[in-house]
């Protein structure tokens, strides 16, 4: 299982070299209904005994399943289904391995906090590969950056990529109004001169992600969603990235009728335009949801980069994972500051993982490789940890913070969401449910604590549940409906009483609420 469809071409090539083309089936969401049926039947009949694909491939009907491999296992966004049926790949894979007697292998340079913790507890085996290619592993709790010297050569003689932090606030003070720092521009110029390749990452599509009237400060938003519209240069239209509704571009403010409308922020289109201006002879490609419409687009983009036909690839999350292209000597992060400012317990983990993963895409040939990270928050501790490649140090810090506040793996989160066309009605339902859950949880906790007194063999534990909310999500209105959210925090104790309490609480949730266990975000 791979997180992105973009990774399937590379995986298929590697597996075909060893096992041959006839044995391999490919499963992902871009297959047509006919292709999916034919593939499904070939797998079920035993004609294909190796399945490669994205998240949904876990349900492939292999009659004699013995091995499940999840590559880039840290990518929760790709491995969690946010539509019915809602499922999380790790949970499904672990249960499937248990039922079929299969071995499950999770691979990542930056394992999830929850996965790492299960290794610390001895539930899973931990296999460390601190060097880039070969060499003996290190004991659990150590990383290739533990020596404190990122310049140190691994045993096979290859040096880990250099990570260079650029403070963009200093760039602005120096008069640079480009989205690319002077250092990154010079590095790109050197890469092009040496006939090498570069990757540029920005997790925003479009040309500009906000339009604002400078007279009345009104932000241009979608009529169906409380979300700013994004300007796309190619279509010369405004688009909502939640409901995909498209609007014509207008330079006049609808609120005050003024004409001082300003574009703020940048997306991948803006970076593409800037690269073309700075390096007019460079061969440039862009990889995001706007350019990748079907599986052929993924394969063409990957093949062009692999064969050296693309000099600079600009993209979103799609370009971060797993590619092994020796001629990529440079990668650049245009900005990650928005990700760090999101009030979510996974924010720092996602940023650390992304920096480490993108650095790993460089220097896979003879050159060392470099990652340039642009930020206006260079003093944030997450950057110094990533710069040193100190995975163990990051994990120590992250586990301490999560234990303090009861977040996974030291607790389980359940997010409850309700929506409706009438805002007042939705808010009322949310308040009523929060009050009911708060009262019932106190009663249930007292009852279960009383039960424990009659059984001295049970270990004492915190059997309570924390109820947060109701609150408005970050995007309160989507698809013309208003949303309210309640967060439930259960203790991570697998006793009969704790499980019973959780089941009793969840049984109180009305059917018109969406229940999301282990949500990707609390927002």
């Amino acid at each position: 299982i791979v997180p992105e469809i973009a990774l399937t071409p590379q995986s298929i090539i590697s597996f075909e070299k060893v096992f041959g083309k006839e044995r391999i089936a490919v499963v992902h969401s871009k297959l047509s209904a006919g292709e999916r049926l034919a593939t499904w039947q070939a797998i079920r009949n035993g004609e294909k005994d190796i399945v490669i694909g994205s998240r949904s491939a876990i349900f492939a009907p292999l009659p004699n399943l013995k091995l499940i491999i999840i590559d880039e296992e840290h990518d929760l966004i790709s491995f969690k289904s946010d539509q019915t049926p809602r499922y999380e790949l790790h949970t499904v894979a672990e249960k499937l391995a248990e039922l079929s007697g299969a071995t499950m292998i999770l691979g990542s340079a930056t394992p999830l906090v929850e996965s790492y913790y299960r290794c610390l507890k001895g539930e899973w085996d931990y296999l460390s590969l601190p060097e880039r290619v070969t060499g003996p592993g290190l004991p659990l709790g150590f990383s290739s950056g533990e020596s404190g010297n990122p310049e140190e050569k691994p045993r096979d003689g290859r040096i880990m990529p250099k990570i260079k932090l650029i403070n963009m606030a200093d760039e602005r003070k120096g008069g640079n109004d480009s989205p690319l720092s002077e250092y990154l521009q010079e590095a790109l110029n050197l890469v092009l001169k040496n006939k090498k390749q570069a990757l540029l990452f920005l997790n925003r599509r479009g040309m500009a992600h906000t339009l604002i009237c400078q007279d009345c400060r009104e932000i241009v938003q979608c009529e169906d969603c409380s979300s700013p519209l994004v300007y796309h240069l190619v279509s010369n239209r405004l688009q909502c990235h939640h409901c995909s509704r498209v609007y014509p571009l207008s330079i006049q403010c609808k609120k005050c009728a003024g004409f001082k409308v300003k574009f703020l922020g940048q997306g991948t289109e803006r970076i593409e335009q800037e690269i073309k201006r700075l390096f007019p002879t460079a061969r440039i490609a862009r990889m995001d949801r706007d350019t990748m419409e079907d599986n052929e687009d993924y394969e063409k983009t990957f093949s062009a980069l692999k064969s050296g036909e693309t000099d600079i690839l600009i993209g979103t999350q799609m370009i971060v994972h797993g590619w092994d292209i020796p001629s990529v000597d440079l990668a650049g992060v245009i900005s990650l500051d928005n990700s760090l400012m999101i009030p979510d317990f996974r924010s720092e983990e996602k940023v650390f993982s992304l920096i480490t993963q993108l650095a790993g895409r460089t220097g896979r040939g003879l050159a060392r490789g470099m990652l340039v990270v642009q930020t206006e928050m260079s003093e944030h501790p997450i950057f110094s940890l990533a710069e040193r490649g100190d995975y163990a140090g990051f994990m120590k810090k992250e586990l301490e913070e999560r234990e303090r506040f009861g977040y996974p793996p030291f607790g389980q989160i359940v997010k409850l969401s309700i929506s409706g066309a009438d805002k007042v009605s939705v808010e009322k339902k949310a308040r009523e449910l929060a009050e009911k859950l708060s009262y019932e949880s106190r009663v249930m906790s007292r009852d279960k604590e009383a039960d424990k007194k009659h059984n001295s063999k049970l270990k004492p534990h915190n059997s309570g549940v924390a109820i947060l909310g109701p609150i408005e999500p970050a995007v309160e209105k989507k698809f013309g409906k208003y949303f309210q959210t309640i967060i439930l925090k259960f203790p991570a104790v697998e006793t009969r009483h704790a499980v019973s309490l959780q089941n009793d609480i969840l049984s109180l949730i009305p059917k018109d609420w969406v229940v999301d266990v282990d949500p990707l975000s609390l927002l």
Side-chain angles (χ1 to χ4, degrees):
I1 311 291
V2 294
E4 296 279 357
I5 296 176
L7 288 176
T8 53
Q10 175 179 276
S11 301
I12 293 166
I13 292 171
S14 298
F15 273 77
E16 284 181 351
K17 287 180 180 178
V18 179
F19 300 103
K21 189 174 183 179
E22 295 76 18
R23 299 175 61 182
I24 298 171
V26 181
V27 176
H28 52 69
S29 59
K30 297 295 183 180
L31 294 178
S32 66
E35 291 172 330
R36 183 177 291 273
L37 175 61
T39 303
W40 224 243
Q41 290 175 334
I43 295 170
R44 187 177 59 183
N45 295 336
E47 299 169 24
K48 306 284 187 179
D49 57 1
I50 298 173
V51 177
I52 298 174
S54 50
R55 182 179 64 213
S56 61
I58 192 65
F59 299 110
L62 286 161
N64 188 30
L65 178 64
K66 291 302 173 187
L67 180 63
I68 302 172
I69 302 174
I70 301 177
D71 197 15
E72 311 290 352
E73 71 98 16
H74 60 273
D75 190 357
L76 274 180
I77 295 176
S78 298
F79 291 146
K80 175 71 182 286
S81 171
D82 58 357
Q83 298 176 350
T84 304
R86 295 174 182 272
Y87 66 93
E88 198 280 312
L89 178 68
H90 294 68
T91 306
V92 175
E94 186 175 9
K95 188 64 178 179
L96 185 60
E98 176 189 330
L99 294 172
S100 60
T103 298
M104 181 177 72
I105 299 176
L106 308 178
S108 175
T110 54
L112 285 168
V113 172
E114 291 89 334
S115 300
Y116 186 82
Y117 184 67
R118 293 187 70 170
C119 293
L120 287 177
K121 291 200 302 179
E123 295 179 12
W124 290 352
D125 293 331
Y126 182 89
L127 306 176
S128 173
L129 183 64
E131 289 80 28
R132 298 205 75 179
V133 180
T134 58
L138 292 175
L140 179 61
F142 290 84
S143 72
S144 57
E146 274 295 278
S147 66
N149 180 14
E151 302 289 331
E152 183 180 352
K153 289 186 178 182
R155 293 179 182 87
D156 65 355
R158 299 181 61 193
I159 306 175
M160 299 301 288
K162 178 181 179 180
I163 298 179
K164 175 72 174 178
L165 293 181
I166 303 295
N167 190 329
M168 292 304 288
D170 294 339
E171 293 282 323
R172 305 285 177 261
K173 292 176 184 178
N176 181 15
D177 59 355
S178 169
L180 307 181
S181 63
E182 292 183 359
Y183 188 95
L184 182 54
Q185 292 180 36
E186 293 173 3
L188 285 168
N189 188 50
L190 184 61
V191 164
L192 294 174
K193 282 185 177 179
N194 291 334
K195 307 296 183 184
K196 297 295 183 179
Q197 295 168 290
L199 304 175
L200 296 180
F201 167 84
L202 179 62
N203 212 21
R204 284 185 180 272
R205 294 180 289 138
M207 185 70 179
H209 58 76
T210 305
L211 274 74
I212 186 171
C213 176
Q214 297 184 75
D215 289 332
C216 68
R217 311 307 294 174
E218 178 77 2
I219 294 176
V220 181
Q221 289 191 330
C222 175
E223 295 176 5
D224 294 327
C225 309
S226 56
S227 175
L229 295 176
V230 177
Y231 174 57
H232 288 256
L233 179 65
V234 174
S235 61
N236 196 33
R237 293 287 189 271
L238 301 174
Q239 185 181 24
C240 175
H241 282 184
H242 289 283
C243 69
S244 298
R245 183 174 174 179
V246 176
Y247 297 79
L249 177 64
S250 174
I251 60 173
Q252 185 177 18
C253 176
K254 289 185 178 181
K255 183 176 180 180
C256 70
F259 288 92
K260 293 184 179 179
V261 178
K262 183 179 181 180
F263 293 91
L264 297 178
Q266 68 259 337
T268 48
E269 273 190 313
R270 170 73 176 90
I271 303 305
E272 181 181 24
Q273 186 186 58
E274 183 70 3
I275 291 295
K276 287 179 178 178
R277 183 184 70 84
L278 293 170
F279 307 102
T281 60
R283 297 168 297 175
I284 302 165
R286 179 162 55 89
M287 196 172 201
D288 53 32
R289 282 178 56 191
D290 296 326
T291 58
M292 301 293 106
E293 296 182 357
D294 54 42
N295 192 42
E296 289 186 3
D297 293 327
Y298 289 97
E299 294 180 0
K300 288 178 181 177
T301 303
F302 172 74
S303 297
L305 189 68
K306 183 78 172 178
S307 63
E309 298 172 28
T310 299
D311 297 320
I312 301 174
L313 177 62
I314 304 158
T316 54
Q317 199 80 23
M318 299 175 183
I319 71 169
V320 175
H321 302 300
W323 278 349
D324 183 15
I325 301 177
S327 57
V328 173
D329 283 355
L330 174 68
V333 175
I334 306 302
S335 176
L336 277 174
D337 295 347
N338 287 333
S339 298
L340 275 177
M341 291 187 287
I342 295 175
D344 189 85
F345 74 95
R346 294 192 190 276
S347 296
E348 292 189 7
E349 180 184 14
K350 291 176 182 177
V351 169
F352 181 89
S353 177
L354 193 146
I355 292 174
T356 306
Q357 292 290 334
L358 195 54
R361 306 283 68 76
T362 71
R364 304 180 78 89
L366 297 176
R368 177 183 180 183
M370 173 185 282
L371 172 67
V372 178
V373 180
Q374 300 184 164
T375 176
E376 299 200 25
M377 304 168 65
S378 57
E379 299 302 317
H380 198 291
I382 202 69
F383 290 119
S384 60
L385 288 167
E387 193 174 19
R388 298 196 306 269
D390 190 359
Y391 174 77
F394 166 75
M395 276 295 165
K396 182 176 183 296
K397 168 183 172 295
E398 190 71 9
L399 285 170
E400 288 174 353
E401 290 182 358
R402 293 199 185 185
E403 184 174 21
R404 178 183 175 189
F405 295 105
Y407 286 116
F410 303 100
Q412 185 171 40
I413 305 296
V414 177
K415 183 167 74 172
L416 310 177
S417 302
I418 190 169
S419 63
D422 182 64
K423 182 178 181 180
V424 175
S425 175
V426 170
E427 291 175 345
K428 181 183 178 183
K429 287 184 178 181
R431 285 195 306 270
E432 290 175 348
L433 180 60
E435 291 170 1
K436 179 181 179 180
L437 293 178
S438 181
Y439 172 78
E440 295 290 347
S441 65
R442 289 195 300 269
V443 173
M444 292 176 185
S445 295
R446 284 199 300 267
D447 292 344
K448 294 184 188 301
E449 286 298 320
D451 290 341
K452 283 200 300 179
K453 293 179 181 179
H454 299 290
N455 189 348
S456 59
K457 295 180 181 180
L458 290 174
K459 295 181 180 179
H461 64 275
N462 176 17
S463 60
V465 54
I467 300 172
L468 310 178
I471 58 174
E472 294 180 357
V475 182
E476 180 195 11
K477 184 182 179 185
K478 289 186 289 186
F479 305 100
K481 293 183 178 181
Y482 294 91
F483 285 76
Q484 285 283 305
T485 298
I486 297 174
I487 303 296
L488 307 180
K489 291 173 67 177
F490 293 96
V493 283
E494 296 181 359
T495 65
R496 177 168 54 85
H497 291 280
V499 173
S500 176
L501 175 64
Q502 181 169 338
N503 291 337
D504 289 345
I505 291 293
L506 294 180
S507 69
L508 299 173
I509 311 301
K511 292 184 179 181
D512 55 344
W513 284 76
V514 174
V515 180
D516 187 2
V517 180
D518 299 324
L520 293 177
S521 171
L522 302 185
L523 301 181

